Amino acid sequence: TGRRSPGASARPAATVAAYIAAINRHDYARAWDLGGRNSSASFAAFAQGFGTTAKDTLIILSVRGSVVTVELVAQQTDGTVKTYQGTYTVDGGVITHSDVGQIS
């Protein structure tokens, strides 16, 4: 019938959600496997990048094919909050590209 299965567009979003959940658990090895390796030169630099992040809250704004547009509200260990917005591209259950930047 040409209709897409409900999971077709949910998979990229689920990958991004799993990635952020792994970061929140400080399971940087899992986050690395979910695509962090495609956003950083080394695992050490990747993990260190979250050193002052207490918790990320993920808001999925849209999913178009393999591209997930998000807003991230990152509570810092000093109590301040940083907000990021951008996109993650997912292929085969792995984030292959990210373009996420701080907006406030």
Side-chain angles (χ1 to χ4, degrees), residues 23-56:
I23 290 168
N24 282 334
R25 290 190 312 271
H26 306 284
D27 184 353
Y28 302 122
R30 177 73 178 134
W32 181 257
D33 288 344
L34 285 167
R37 64 180 183 258
N38 295 317
S39 67
S40 188
S42 73
F43 176 78
F46 174 74
Q48 187 177 12
F50 299 102
T52 61
T53 304
K55 180 180 193 284
D56 283 321

PDB file of all heavy atoms in Angstrom, residues 23-56:
ATOM      1  N   ILE A  23      25.227   8.966  27.049  1.00  0.00           N
ATOM      2  CA  ILE A  23      25.998  10.097  27.572  1.00  0.00           C
ATOM      3  C   ILE A  23      25.528  10.432  28.986  1.00  0.00           C
ATOM      4  O   ILE A  23      26.338  10.646  29.891  1.00  0.00           O
ATOM      5  CB  ILE A  23      25.889  11.315  26.628  1.00  0.00           C
ATOM      6  CG1 ILE A  23      26.658  11.026  25.332  1.00  0.00           C
ATOM      7  CG2 ILE A  23      26.397  12.593  27.309  1.00  0.00           C
ATOM      8  CD1 ILE A  23      26.400  12.015  24.221  1.00  0.00           C
ATOM      9  N   ASN A  24      24.218  10.446  29.199  1.00  0.00           N
ATOM     10  CA  ASN A  24      23.684  10.757  30.528  1.00  0.00           C
ATOM     11  C   ASN A  24      24.104   9.723  31.568  1.00  0.00           C
ATOM     12  O   ASN A  24      24.242  10.056  32.744  1.00  0.00           O
ATOM     13  CB  ASN A  24      22.164  10.884  30.485  1.00  0.00           C
ATOM     14  CG  ASN A  24      21.720  12.215  29.919  1.00  0.00           C
ATOM     15  OD1 ASN A  24      22.449  13.208  29.984  1.00  0.00           O
ATOM     16  ND2 ASN A  24      20.528  12.260  29.358  1.00  0.00           N
ATOM     17  N   ARG A  25      24.316   8.477  31.140  1.00  0.00           N
ATOM     18  CA  ARG A  25      24.775   7.423  32.059  1.00  0.00           C
ATOM     19  C   ARG A  25      26.303   7.428  32.202  1.00  0.00           C
ATOM     20  O   ARG A  25      26.855   6.604  32.912  1.00  0.00           O
ATOM     21  CB  ARG A  25      24.361   6.033  31.541  1.00  0.00           C
ATOM     22  CG  ARG A  25      22.900   5.732  31.592  1.00  0.00           C
ATOM     23  CD  ARG A  25      22.626   4.244  31.296  1.00  0.00           C
ATOM     24  NE  ARG A  25      23.312   3.727  30.119  1.00  0.00           N
ATOM     25  CZ  ARG A  25      22.833   3.746  28.871  1.00  0.00           C
ATOM     26  NH1 ARG A  25      21.634   4.277  28.626  1.00  0.00           N
ATOM     27  NH2 ARG A  25      23.522   3.235  27.869  1.00  0.00           N
ATOM     28  N   HIS A  26      26.952   8.347  31.509  1.00  0.00           N
ATOM     29  CA  HIS A  26      28.418   8.406  31.450  1.00  0.00           C
ATOM     30  C   HIS A  26      28.983   7.125  30.845  1.00  0.00           C
ATOM     31  O   HIS A  26      30.116   6.743  31.118  1.00  0.00           O
ATOM     32  CB  HIS A  26      29.034   8.695  32.825  1.00  0.00           C
ATOM     33  CG  HIS A  26      28.469   9.923  33.468  1.00  0.00           C
ATOM     34  ND1 HIS A  26      28.824  11.195  33.072  1.00  0.00           N
ATOM     35  CD2 HIS A  26      27.544  10.065  34.445  1.00  0.00           C
ATOM     36  CE1 HIS A  26      28.153  12.072  33.784  1.00  0.00           C
ATOM     37  NE2 HIS A  26      27.371  11.425  34.630  1.00  0.00           N
ATOM     38  N   ASP A  27      28.176   6.473  30.001  1.00  0.00           N
ATOM     39  CA  ASP A  27      28.612   5.276  29.278  1.00  0.00           C
ATOM     40  C   ASP A  27      29.160   5.747  27.932  1.00  0.00           C
ATOM     41  O   ASP A  27      28.548   5.570  26.881  1.00  0.00           O
ATOM     42  CB  ASP A  27      27.434   4.311  29.097  1.00  0.00           C
ATOM     43  CG  ASP A  27      27.831   2.999  28.437  1.00  0.00           C
ATOM     44  OD1 ASP A  27      29.002   2.871  27.993  1.00  0.00           O
ATOM     45  OD2 ASP A  27      26.972   2.104  28.348  1.00  0.00           O
ATOM     46  N   TYR A  28      30.328   6.387  27.993  1.00  0.00           N
ATOM     47  CA  TYR A  28      30.891   7.010  26.797  1.00  0.00           C
ATOM     48  C   TYR A  28      31.319   5.978  25.762  1.00  0.00           C
ATOM     49  O   TYR A  28      31.308   6.273  24.563  1.00  0.00           O
ATOM     50  CB  TYR A  28      32.034   7.947  27.172  1.00  0.00           C
ATOM     51  CG  TYR A  28      31.585   9.032  28.126  1.00  0.00           C
ATOM     52  CD1 TYR A  28      32.192   9.194  29.362  1.00  0.00           C
ATOM     53  CD2 TYR A  28      30.515   9.866  27.806  1.00  0.00           C
ATOM     54  CE1 TYR A  28      31.767  10.174  30.246  1.00  0.00           C
ATOM     55  CE2 TYR A  28      30.076  10.843  28.685  1.00  0.00           C
ATOM     56  CZ  TYR A  28      30.704  10.994  29.909  1.00  0.00           C
ATOM     57  OH  TYR A  28      30.271  11.954  30.780  1.00  0.00           O
ATOM     58  N   ALA A  29      31.639   4.759  26.192  1.00  0.00           N
ATOM     59  CA  ALA A  29      31.987   3.700  25.231  1.00  0.00           C
ATOM     60  C   ALA A  29      30.776   3.376  24.361  1.00  0.00           C
ATOM     61  O   ALA A  29      30.902   3.220  23.138  1.00  0.00           O
ATOM     62  CB  ALA A  29      32.480   2.455  25.956  1.00  0.00           C
ATOM     63  N   ARG A  30      29.592   3.286  24.964  1.00  0.00           N
ATOM     64  CA  ARG A  30      28.371   3.022  24.191  1.00  0.00           C
ATOM     65  C   ARG A  30      28.064   4.206  23.270  1.00  0.00           C
ATOM     66  O   ARG A  30      27.720   4.020  22.100  1.00  0.00           O
ATOM     67  CB  ARG A  30      27.192   2.749  25.136  1.00  0.00           C
ATOM     68  CG  ARG A  30      25.876   2.541  24.441  1.00  0.00           C
ATOM     69  CD  ARG A  30      25.802   1.194  23.742  1.00  0.00           C
ATOM     70  NE  ARG A  30      24.494   1.030  23.129  1.00  0.00           N
ATOM     71  CZ  ARG A  30      24.315   0.587  21.890  1.00  0.00           C
ATOM     72  NH1 ARG A  30      25.338   0.209  21.154  1.00  0.00           N
ATOM     73  NH2 ARG A  30      23.106   0.477  21.387  1.00  0.00           N
ATOM     74  N   ALA A  31      28.181   5.414  23.783  1.00  0.00           N
ATOM     75  CA  ALA A  31      27.933   6.611  22.962  1.00  0.00           C
ATOM     76  C   ALA A  31      28.926   6.670  21.804  1.00  0.00           C
ATOM     77  O   ALA A  31      28.564   7.040  20.680  1.00  0.00           O
ATOM     78  CB  ALA A  31      28.022   7.868  23.816  1.00  0.00           C
ATOM     79  N   TRP A  32      30.170   6.282  22.060  1.00  0.00           N
ATOM     80  CA  TRP A  32      31.201   6.243  21.021  1.00  0.00           C
ATOM     81  C   TRP A  32      30.778   5.283  19.919  1.00  0.00           C
ATOM     82  O   TRP A  32      30.857   5.597  18.733  1.00  0.00           O
ATOM     83  CB  TRP A  32      32.523   5.832  21.654  1.00  0.00           C
ATOM     84  CG  TRP A  32      33.709   5.750  20.753  1.00  0.00           C
ATOM     85  CD1 TRP A  32      34.273   4.610  20.247  1.00  0.00           C
ATOM     86  CD2 TRP A  32      34.515   6.831  20.263  1.00  0.00           C
ATOM     87  NE1 TRP A  32      35.370   4.925  19.480  1.00  0.00           N
ATOM     88  CE2 TRP A  32      35.544   6.273  19.471  1.00  0.00           C
ATOM     89  CE3 TRP A  32      34.466   8.216  20.426  1.00  0.00           C
ATOM     90  CZ2 TRP A  32      36.514   7.044  18.840  1.00  0.00           C
ATOM     91  CZ3 TRP A  32      35.425   8.983  19.796  1.00  0.00           C
ATOM     92  CH2 TRP A  32      36.433   8.404  19.016  1.00  0.00           C
ATOM     93  N   ASP A  33      30.292   4.090  20.319  1.00  0.00           N
ATOM     94  CA  ASP A  33      29.857   3.080  19.351  1.00  0.00           C
ATOM     95  C   ASP A  33      28.627   3.524  18.563  1.00  0.00           C
ATOM     96  O   ASP A  33      28.451   3.144  17.404  1.00  0.00           O
ATOM     97  CB  ASP A  33      29.534   1.748  20.050  1.00  0.00           C
ATOM     98  CG  ASP A  33      30.783   1.033  20.538  1.00  0.00           C
ATOM     99  OD1 ASP A  33      31.906   1.375  20.085  1.00  0.00           O
ATOM    100  OD2 ASP A  33      30.639   0.130  21.383  1.00  0.00           O
ATOM    101  N   LEU A  34      27.767   4.334  19.178  1.00  0.00           N
ATOM    102  CA  LEU A  34      26.552   4.815  18.505  1.00  0.00           C
ATOM    103  C   LEU A  34      26.838   5.975  17.556  1.00  0.00           C
ATOM    104  O   LEU A  34      25.927   6.460  16.895  1.00  0.00           O
ATOM    105  CB  LEU A  34      25.501   5.227  19.541  1.00  0.00           C
ATOM    106  CG  LEU A  34      24.796   4.074  20.234  1.00  0.00           C
ATOM    107  CD1 LEU A  34      24.010   4.568  21.451  1.00  0.00           C
ATOM    108  CD2 LEU A  34      23.868   3.345  19.260  1.00  0.00           C
ATOM    109  N   GLY A  35      28.088   6.408  17.483  1.00  0.00           N
ATOM    110  CA  GLY A  35      28.432   7.454  16.522  1.00  0.00           C
ATOM    111  C   GLY A  35      29.352   8.531  17.034  1.00  0.00           C
ATOM    112  O   GLY A  35      29.793   9.380  16.264  1.00  0.00           O
ATOM    113  N   GLY A  36      29.648   8.521  18.316  1.00  0.00           N
ATOM    114  CA  GLY A  36      30.584   9.512  18.836  1.00  0.00           C
ATOM    115  C   GLY A  36      31.917   9.472  18.122  1.00  0.00           C
ATOM    116  O   GLY A  36      32.570  10.491  17.939  1.00  0.00           O
ATOM    117  N   ARG A  37      32.280   8.278  17.641  1.00  0.00           N
ATOM    118  CA  ARG A  37      33.558   8.120  16.921  1.00  0.00           C
ATOM    119  C   ARG A  37      33.578   8.928  15.631  1.00  0.00           C
ATOM    120  O   ARG A  37      34.634   9.201  15.087  1.00  0.00           O
ATOM    121  CB  ARG A  37      33.808   6.645  16.619  1.00  0.00           C
ATOM    122  CG  ARG A  37      32.799   6.022  15.680  1.00  0.00           C
ATOM    123  CD  ARG A  37      33.113   4.543  15.431  1.00  0.00           C
ATOM    124  NE  ARG A  37      32.196   3.961  14.486  1.00  0.00           N
ATOM    125  CZ  ARG A  37      31.170   3.194  14.822  1.00  0.00           C
ATOM    126  NH1 ARG A  37      30.932   2.920  16.080  1.00  0.00           N
ATOM    127  NH2 ARG A  37      30.385   2.699  13.892  1.00  0.00           N
ATOM    128  N   ASN A  38      32.398   9.319  15.141  1.00  0.00           N
ATOM    129  CA  ASN A  38      32.322  10.118  13.918  1.00  0.00           C
ATOM    130  C   ASN A  38      32.297  11.619  14.201  1.00  0.00           C
ATOM    131  O   ASN A  38      32.180  12.412  13.269  1.00  0.00           O
ATOM    132  CB  ASN A  38      31.084   9.714  13.105  1.00  0.00           C
ATOM    133  CG  ASN A  38      31.196   8.285  12.617  1.00  0.00           C
ATOM    134  OD1 ASN A  38      32.245   7.867  12.154  1.00  0.00           O
ATOM    135  ND2 ASN A  38      30.121   7.527  12.738  1.00  0.00           N
ATOM    136  N   SER A  39      32.399  11.992  15.483  1.00  0.00           N
ATOM    137  CA  SER A  39      32.339  13.414  15.822  1.00  0.00           C
ATOM    138  C   SER A  39      33.583  13.902  16.555  1.00  0.00           C
ATOM    139  O   SER A  39      33.661  15.072  16.892  1.00  0.00           O
ATOM    140  CB  SER A  39      31.110  13.692  16.692  1.00  0.00           C
ATOM    141  OG  SER A  39      31.252  13.066  17.963  1.00  0.00           O
ATOM    142  N   SER A  40      34.536  13.017  16.821  1.00  0.00           N
ATOM    143  CA  SER A  40      35.695  13.400  17.606  1.00  0.00           C
ATOM    144  C   SER A  40      36.922  12.643  17.116  1.00  0.00           C
ATOM    145  O   SER A  40      36.814  11.514  16.630  1.00  0.00           O
ATOM    146  CB  SER A  40      35.437  13.095  19.083  1.00  0.00           C
ATOM    147  OG  SER A  40      36.469  13.612  19.887  1.00  0.00           O
ATOM    148  N   ALA A  41      38.077  13.259  17.291  1.00  0.00           N
ATOM    149  CA  ALA A  41      39.318  12.643  16.825  1.00  0.00           C
ATOM    150  C   ALA A  41      39.732  11.439  17.664  1.00  0.00           C
ATOM    151  O   ALA A  41      40.365  10.523  17.170  1.00  0.00           O
ATOM    152  CB  ALA A  41      40.437  13.681  16.839  1.00  0.00           C
ATOM    153  N   SER A  42      39.349  11.444  18.946  1.00  0.00           N
ATOM    154  CA  SER A  42      39.734  10.335  19.816  1.00  0.00           C
ATOM    155  C   SER A  42      38.669  10.099  20.873  1.00  0.00           C
ATOM    156  O   SER A  42      37.894  11.003  21.205  1.00  0.00           O
ATOM    157  CB  SER A  42      41.067  10.627  20.502  1.00  0.00           C
ATOM    158  OG  SER A  42      40.899  11.615  21.509  1.00  0.00           O
ATOM    159  N   PHE A  43      38.657   8.886  21.424  1.00  0.00           N
ATOM    160  CA  PHE A  43      37.707   8.562  22.483  1.00  0.00           C
ATOM    161  C   PHE A  43      37.942   9.458  23.695  1.00  0.00           C
ATOM    162  O   PHE A  43      36.990   9.959  24.299  1.00  0.00           O
ATOM    163  CB  PHE A  43      37.827   7.078  22.873  1.00  0.00           C
ATOM    164  CG  PHE A  43      36.931   6.728  24.030  1.00  0.00           C
ATOM    165  CD1 PHE A  43      35.572   6.529  23.838  1.00  0.00           C
ATOM    166  CD2 PHE A  43      37.445   6.604  25.303  1.00  0.00           C
ATOM    167  CE1 PHE A  43      34.737   6.221  24.899  1.00  0.00           C
ATOM    168  CE2 PHE A  43      36.617   6.290  26.375  1.00  0.00           C
ATOM    169  CZ  PHE A  43      35.260   6.098  26.172  1.00  0.00           C
ATOM    170  N   ALA A  44      39.210   9.678  24.055  1.00  0.00           N
ATOM    171  CA  ALA A  44      39.519  10.512  25.221  1.00  0.00           C
ATOM    172  C   ALA A  44      38.962  11.922  25.051  1.00  0.00           C
ATOM    173  O   ALA A  44      38.356  12.475  25.984  1.00  0.00           O
ATOM    174  CB  ALA A  44      41.021  10.558  25.464  1.00  0.00           C
ATOM    175  N   ALA A  45      39.143  12.507  23.875  1.00  0.00           N
ATOM    176  CA  ALA A  45      38.630  13.859  23.622  1.00  0.00           C
ATOM    177  C   ALA A  45      37.104  13.870  23.653  1.00  0.00           C
ATOM    178  O   ALA A  45      36.484  14.803  24.177  1.00  0.00           O
ATOM    179  CB  ALA A  45      39.135  14.371  22.276  1.00  0.00           C
ATOM    180  N   PHE A  46      36.495  12.807  23.105  1.00  0.00           N
ATOM    181  CA  PHE A  46      35.038  12.698  23.100  1.00  0.00           C
ATOM    182  C   PHE A  46      34.509  12.679  24.533  1.00  0.00           C
ATOM    183  O   PHE A  46      33.644  13.477  24.891  1.00  0.00           O
ATOM    184  CB  PHE A  46      34.625  11.428  22.350  1.00  0.00           C
ATOM    185  CG  PHE A  46      33.157  11.120  22.400  1.00  0.00           C
ATOM    186  CD1 PHE A  46      32.254  11.846  21.654  1.00  0.00           C
ATOM    187  CD2 PHE A  46      32.679  10.084  23.193  1.00  0.00           C
ATOM    188  CE1 PHE A  46      30.896  11.563  21.687  1.00  0.00           C
ATOM    189  CE2 PHE A  46      31.329   9.783  23.237  1.00  0.00           C
ATOM    190  CZ  PHE A  46      30.436  10.533  22.482  1.00  0.00           C
ATOM    191  N   ALA A  47      35.029  11.793  25.358  1.00  0.00           N
ATOM    192  CA  ALA A  47      34.562  11.668  26.741  1.00  0.00           C
ATOM    193  C   ALA A  47      34.835  12.946  27.531  1.00  0.00           C
ATOM    194  O   ALA A  47      33.986  13.401  28.303  1.00  0.00           O
ATOM    195  CB  ALA A  47      35.225  10.468  27.410  1.00  0.00           C
ATOM    196  N   GLN A  48      36.002  13.541  27.315  1.00  0.00           N
ATOM    197  CA  GLN A  48      36.368  14.757  28.034  1.00  0.00           C
ATOM    198  C   GLN A  48      35.413  15.902  27.707  1.00  0.00           C
ATOM    199  O   GLN A  48      35.158  16.771  28.530  1.00  0.00           O
ATOM    200  CB  GLN A  48      37.802  15.143  27.704  1.00  0.00           C
ATOM    201  CG  GLN A  48      38.326  16.300  28.517  1.00  0.00           C
ATOM    202  CD  GLN A  48      39.782  16.600  28.205  1.00  0.00           C
ATOM    203  OE1 GLN A  48      40.343  16.101  27.233  1.00  0.00           O
ATOM    204  NE2 GLN A  48      40.408  17.408  29.041  1.00  0.00           N
ATOM    205  N   GLY A  49      34.861  15.892  26.496  1.00  0.00           N
ATOM    206  CA  GLY A  49      33.933  16.938  26.077  1.00  0.00           C
ATOM    207  C   GLY A  49      32.673  17.028  26.920  1.00  0.00           C
ATOM    208  O   GLY A  49      31.988  18.048  26.913  1.00  0.00           O
ATOM    209  N   PHE A  50      32.375  15.959  27.656  1.00  0.00           N
ATOM    210  CA  PHE A  50      31.183  15.951  28.505  1.00  0.00           C
ATOM    211  C   PHE A  50      31.530  16.113  29.979  1.00  0.00           C
ATOM    212  O   PHE A  50      30.683  15.919  30.851  1.00  0.00           O
ATOM    213  CB  PHE A  50      30.397  14.649  28.287  1.00  0.00           C
ATOM    214  CG  PHE A  50      29.931  14.488  26.877  1.00  0.00           C
ATOM    215  CD1 PHE A  50      30.600  13.630  26.012  1.00  0.00           C
ATOM    216  CD2 PHE A  50      28.863  15.211  26.386  1.00  0.00           C
ATOM    217  CE1 PHE A  50      30.190  13.487  24.700  1.00  0.00           C
ATOM    218  CE2 PHE A  50      28.448  15.082  25.073  1.00  0.00           C
ATOM    219  CZ  PHE A  50      29.108  14.219  24.225  1.00  0.00           C
ATOM    220  N   GLY A  51      32.769  16.498  30.260  1.00  0.00           N
ATOM    221  CA  GLY A  51      33.248  16.592  31.632  1.00  0.00           C
ATOM    222  C   GLY A  51      32.472  17.530  32.527  1.00  0.00           C
ATOM    223  O   GLY A  51      32.393  17.308  33.735  1.00  0.00           O
ATOM    224  N   THR A  52      31.898  18.588  31.963  1.00  0.00           N
ATOM    225  CA  THR A  52      31.152  19.545  32.788  1.00  0.00           C
ATOM    226  C   THR A  52      29.646  19.434  32.574  1.00  0.00           C
ATOM    227  O   THR A  52      28.891  20.281  33.036  1.00  0.00           O
ATOM    228  CB  THR A  52      31.601  20.989  32.492  1.00  0.00           C
ATOM    229  OG1 THR A  52      31.332  21.285  31.118  1.00  0.00           O
ATOM    230  CG2 THR A  52      33.084  21.183  32.790  1.00  0.00           C
ATOM    231  N   THR A  53      29.204  18.384  31.876  1.00  0.00           N
ATOM    232  CA  THR A  53      27.772  18.184  31.627  1.00  0.00           C
ATOM    233  C   THR A  53      27.198  17.247  32.678  1.00  0.00           C
ATOM    234  O   THR A  53      27.649  16.111  32.821  1.00  0.00           O
ATOM    235  CB  THR A  53      27.535  17.584  30.228  1.00  0.00           C
ATOM    236  OG1 THR A  53      28.137  18.438  29.248  1.00  0.00           O
ATOM    237  CG2 THR A  53      26.052  17.455  29.929  1.00  0.00           C
ATOM    238  N   ALA A  54      26.199  17.727  33.409  1.00  0.00           N
ATOM    239  CA  ALA A  54      25.537  16.886  34.412  1.00  0.00           C
ATOM    240  C   ALA A  54      24.464  16.023  33.755  1.00  0.00           C
ATOM    241  O   ALA A  54      24.341  14.838  34.058  1.00  0.00           O
ATOM    242  CB  ALA A  54      24.925  17.748  35.512  1.00  0.00           C
ATOM    243  N   LYS A  55      23.673  16.634  32.851  1.00  0.00           N
ATOM    244  CA  LYS A  55      22.584  15.894  32.212  1.00  0.00           C
ATOM    245  C   LYS A  55      22.141  16.625  30.958  1.00  0.00           C
ATOM    246  O   LYS A  55      22.019  17.838  30.950  1.00  0.00           O
ATOM    247  CB  LYS A  55      21.394  15.768  33.168  1.00  0.00           C
ATOM    248  CG  LYS A  55      20.205  15.004  32.585  1.00  0.00           C
ATOM    249  CD  LYS A  55      19.074  14.916  33.600  1.00  0.00           C
ATOM    250  CE  LYS A  55      18.020  13.937  33.197  1.00  0.00           C
ATOM    251  NZ  LYS A  55      17.117  14.364  32.169  1.00  0.00           N
ATOM    252  N   ASP A  56      21.889  15.847  29.904  1.00  0.00           N
ATOM    253  CA  ASP A  56      21.336  16.396  28.667  1.00  0.00           C
ATOM    254  C   ASP A  56      19.873  16.000  28.572  1.00  0.00           C
ATOM    255  O   ASP A  56      19.528  14.831  28.773  1.00  0.00           O
ATOM    256  CB  ASP A  56      22.057  15.817  27.436  1.00  0.00           C
ATOM    257  CG  ASP A  56      23.413  16.446  27.190  1.00  0.00           C
ATOM    258  OD1 ASP A  56      23.530  17.671  27.386  1.00  0.00           O
ATOM    259  OD2 ASP A  56      24.336  15.721  26.802  1.00  0.00           O
TER     260      ASP A  56
END
